[in-house]
């Protein structure tokens, strides 16, 4: 049976941490930033960990 391929879109958007969790970026930080408050934009800068409900699906996409 052939090896599974990593999903190209997923590998560009997500990172696996040392402990195996998956990091993601926040949405709504790319354009139309003038109407968003500085606080909101600053909080969108930080990365987040994906929810446990999505973790199994994401690990299938990010097979190594």
């Amino acid at each position: 049976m052939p090896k599974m391929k990593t999903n190209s879109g997923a590998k560009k958007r997500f990172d696996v941490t040392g402990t195996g969790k998956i990091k993601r970026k926040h949405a709504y930080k790319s354009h139309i930033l003038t109407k968003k408050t500085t606080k909101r934009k600053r909080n969108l800068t930080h990365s987040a960990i994906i929810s446990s409900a999505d973790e199994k699906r994401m690990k299938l996409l990010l097979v190594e």
Side-chain angles (χ1 to χ4, degrees), residues 29 33-45:
K29 185 75 201 302
L33 298 172
T34 50
K35 63 175 80 170
K36 294 168 189 158
T37 64
T38 310
K39 179 181 178 179
R40 182 173 164 193
K41 288 184 282 194
R42 184 173 61 246
N43 289 336
L44 289 172
T45 299

Side-chain angles (χ1 to χ4, degrees), residues 5-62:
K5 286 190 175 179
T6 301
N7 181 286
S8 297
K11 76 181 173 190
K12 294 169 191 170
R13 289 171 174 84
F14 301 98
D15 274 324
V16 182
T17 63
T19 56
K21 294 176 184 171
I22 299 170
K23 276 196 320 187
R24 66 173 176 85
K25 296 263 176 32
H26 282 281
Y28 309 112
K29 185 75 201 302
S30 57
H31 62 110
I32 316 174
L33 298 172
T34 50
K35 63 175 80 170
K36 294 168 189 158
T37 64
T38 310
K39 179 181 178 179
R40 182 173 164 193
K41 288 184 282 194
R42 184 173 61 246
N43 289 336
L44 289 172
T45 299
H46 311 297
S47 59
I49 302 292
I50 64 161
S51 72
S52 55
D54 298 322
E55 204 163 339
K56 188 178 178 183
R57 269 186 305 161
M58 288 309 309
K59 288 197 172 176
L60 278 173
L61 293 176
L62 295 170

